[in-house]
Amino acid sequence: MAGHSKWANIKHKKARADAKRGKAFSTVTKEIIVAVKQGGPDPKMNPQLRLAISKAKAINLPNENIQRNIKKAESKDQSNFDEVTYEVYGAGGVGIICRGLTDNKNRTASDMRIATNKRGGTIATPGSVLFNFDKLGVMQITKEGTDFDKLFEDAIEAGALDINDEEDVYIITTNPEDLFKVKEELEAKKYTVNDPSQELVPKTLIECSPEDKEKNEALIDFIEDLDDIDQVFSNIQS
């Protein structure tokens, strides 16, 4: 299973993204709308919506905003969002995957071209970077007050693939389609689940020069600020 440095890389990127509060609100709002469009407005019957609401509450999006967006999503006048994925080669051969939800693919494509023109990197042929990543469901359990052996038993029983022991958290991985089920079964057993999401985890990491690493981080920062891009993953060695 994935090593410590891969998870450190994910958490580093997540921490930088989560710090941008307004962007986080925008992202989870789009996820709520897409979930309602695909599975209906009742969270009890729509696990994707339950997860989106859980993420919204975790970043303190007011409940009135959540309910307003659920109602808005039911309207025929509310446009849906399409999933987009861009694969980019960064400096030193680093692979970067950019994912988002957009209501205007032409705008998103233009923004990505501007990002690579300004900060370097090359937009790659679909599939040429993505094959280096595994799509997994990922969630965290705080170590404090948690017995590892019991958690391991409960998580595997719920359908998890593996558990990684980090400095202050346990990281549980699942098949993407099992993320909702595992999260809810663990919560039913009184575990507090943090940051549940579908992640792209690099199979191997690339160690690049300090100069190339700085270029790649500047490119990633620029892309993360784009309105339509909600997740950025890379295989840079942290």
Side-chain angles (χ1 to χ4, degrees), residues 50-106:
R50 288 201 301 274
L51 182 66
I53 291 172
S54 174
K55 290 167 71 173
K57 290 181 177 178
I59 61 171
N60 297 317
L61 183 68
N63 189 60
E64 61 191 47
N65 291 34
I66 294 172
Q67 296 306 318
R68 183 167 64 247
N69 281 294
I70 290 174
K71 288 181 180 179
K72 187 165 69 171
E74 293 182 87
S75 168
K76 292 181 180 179
D77 294 331
Q78 172 61 49
S79 59
N80 202 357
F81 294 91
D82 295 314
E83 291 186 15
V84 290
T85 299
Y86 289 90
E87 303 175 42
V88 177
Y89 286 119
V94 161
I96 301 169
I97 307 292
C98 314
R99 300 174 68 196
L101 295 167
T102 180
D103 58 357
N104 187 327
K105 289 184 177 181
N106 290 334

Side-chain angles (χ1 to χ4, degrees), residues 2-12 166 202 205 236-238:
H4 171 85
S5 53
K6 294 180 184 179
W7 299 119
N9 188 44
I10 287 173
K11 289 192 292 182
H12 175 61
E166 290 297 311
L205 295 168
I236 300 173
Q237 174 76 55
S238 294

Side-chain angles (χ1 to χ4, degrees), residues 77-140:
D77 294 331
Q78 172 61 49
S79 59
N80 202 357
F81 294 91
D82 295 314
E83 291 186 15
V84 290
T85 299
Y86 289 90
E87 303 175 42
V88 177
Y89 286 119
V94 161
I96 301 169
I97 307 292
C98 314
R99 300 174 68 196
L101 295 167
T102 180
D103 58 357
N104 187 327
K105 289 184 177 181
N106 290 334
R107 179 188 64 222
T108 311
S110 175
D111 286 346
M112 285 297 303
R113 287 194 296 271
I114 291 170
T116 51
N117 286 340
K118 286 191 173 183
R119 292 292 185 267
T122 305
I123 296 177
T125 304
S128 59
V129 177
L130 197 57
F131 82 95
N132 284 311
F133 293 75
D134 289 320
K135 187 175 182 180
L136 295 171
V138 179
M139 65 192 81
Q140 299 180 13

